[in-house]
Amino acid sequence: MTCTPRPTSLSPLTLLGCALVLLVPAPGCPRGDDDDFAVVDDDDDDSVGDDDDTVDDDDDTVGDDDDTVDDDDDTVDDDDSAEEPTTLSGVVLGFLSKGPLPGVSVSLMGADSPTEDTTDAAGLFSLAFPLSEGESAEVLALGPAGFLDATLNIQRDLAEDLVLALFTRSKEEQIFPEDFGVPYDPTRSNLFIEFLDDFAGAQVAIDSSSLGSWVFNSDDDLVPGDTPPVGSSQTQVLFVNVEPGPTTITVTAPSGTSCAGPAQVNARADTYVNVWFLCE
């Protein structure tokens, strides 16, 4: 399955077989210590460096030379509120092997100018992130032969370095009957809602039909539910066999306020869809 690992390490829960990128530390994948689930590790220095190049502050982009920049207000917009382009750096790994996956196509969807890259020999990629504060986009990783595709739906102000852990199709076909009592269905989608800062107690709902939702209890056992309980080390909600297509997600904190994150995502068939939310 697909996990959305959090900042410190690839855990077995973050996305039931994490299959994607990671923006923050994800606990682990489903089934506690079972390696069947992938996670996205956000703080792993070995996975993604904190290279200052993610955002280029080079003054050369706009020089002070009158020949370079016209002082005419009609030519250059001096609005200080303008967002500078951001670059998202990340790495794609095989969840079980923990090794880099070269040659994987990674694309940023949902922006006016979609960007894409192909992972190098070390599994690294870089994407331009031309969105404004609060806007969301979808990062799509096309799994190589034997791996499942995965997406990560992220909000610009919550995006950092990413780690995408792709899970193998054969493992998902093995664990679905064991954990959910049904075979893996390539015509459906699987949706992982991940909470940044290990937030517990938020209730999650989607408007698409599914087999049901699961969470990890305080013993890290996967049980039916839509609210990660306090005391659980894996604060995620997994919706299994979701109907493909646009899906609206509602996440409500215990206080009754809405949590920040993508309100609508594309539930892609035969894909692990990871979504990050921040509750305060």
Side-chain angles (χ1 to χ4, degrees):
M1 320 192 78
T2 311
C3 287
T4 303
R6 309 282 299 231
T8 37
S9 58
L10 295 176
S11 348
L13 145 53
T14 307
L15 305 167
L16 273 193
C18 262
L20 208 304
V21 181
L22 181 51
L23 295 185
V24 278
C29 293
R31 295 183 52 173
D33 55 357
D34 188 335
D35 285 342
D36 291 345
F37 302 98
V39 179
V40 175
D41 185 347
D42 181 76
D43 293 335
D44 186 342
D45 292 337
D46 295 332
S47 304
V48 179
D50 295 324
D51 191 335
D52 292 337
D53 294 337
T54 51
V55 179
D56 187 355
D57 294 325
D58 190 343
D59 292 337
D60 294 339
T61 51
V62 179
D64 295 327
D65 187 340
D66 291 339
D67 295 331
T68 306
V69 179
D70 188 344
D71 293 330
D72 188 334
D73 290 338
D74 294 332
T75 307
V76 178
D77 186 355
D78 295 326
D79 186 355
D80 292 336
S81 65
E83 302 272 0
E84 285 201 28
T86 296
T87 297
L88 288 181
S89 298
V91 61
V92 178
L93 308 173
F95 177 68
L96 296 180
S97 68
K98 304 297 188 297
L101 292 178
V104 175
S105 176
V106 182
S107 304
L108 177 69
M109 317 296 287
D112 291 337
S113 301
T115 60
E116 62 181 81
D117 194 11
T118 300
T119 58
D120 61 17
L124 301 175
F125 67 89
S126 180
L127 297 172
F129 199 34
L131 299 180
S132 298
E133 195 79 4
E135 288 188 313
S136 299
E138 174 190 49
V139 175
L140 169 64
L142 298 179
F147 289 84
L148 295 174
D149 295 344
T151 64
L152 177 59
N153 294 267
I154 53 180
Q155 192 168 294
R156 185 185 188 282
D157 48 319
L158 301 180
E160 299 174 6
D161 290 333
L162 313 178
V163 176
L164 302 75
L166 303 188
F167 206 68
T168 59
R169 182 177 300 277
S170 60
K171 177 60 70 174
E172 295 304 288
E173 293 175 344
Q174 173 188 329
I175 63 179
F176 256 66
E178 298 174 356
D179 291 338
F180 308 114
V182 296
Y184 177 80
D185 187 349
T187 69
R188 308 286 282 188
S189 180
N190 294 290
L191 183 63
F192 287 91
I193 309 300
E194 175 74 22
F195 292 97
L196 304 183
D197 298 332
D198 295 320
F199 190 89
Q203 184 175 39
V204 182
I206 63 174
D207 67 351
S208 298
S209 64
S210 70
L211 179 65
S213 59
W214 279 260
V215 298
F216 288 90
N217 61 21
S218 58
D219 295 323
D220 285 340
D221 293 323
L222 196 60
V223 297
D226 59 10
T227 303
V230 174
S232 173
S233 63
Q234 306 184 73
T235 53
Q236 300 128 11
V237 178
L238 165 64
F239 289 87
V240 175
N241 283 0
V242 178
E243 179 181 7
T247 298
T248 298
I249 304 171
T250 302
V251 181
T252 307
S255 62
T257 60
S258 297
C259 299
Q264 188 176 74
V265 301
N266 180 15
R268 296 173 179 269
D270 202 22
T271 301
Y272 277 97
V273 177
N274 304 286
V275 190
W276 292 84
F277 276 86
L278 178 63
C279 299
E280 299 179 345

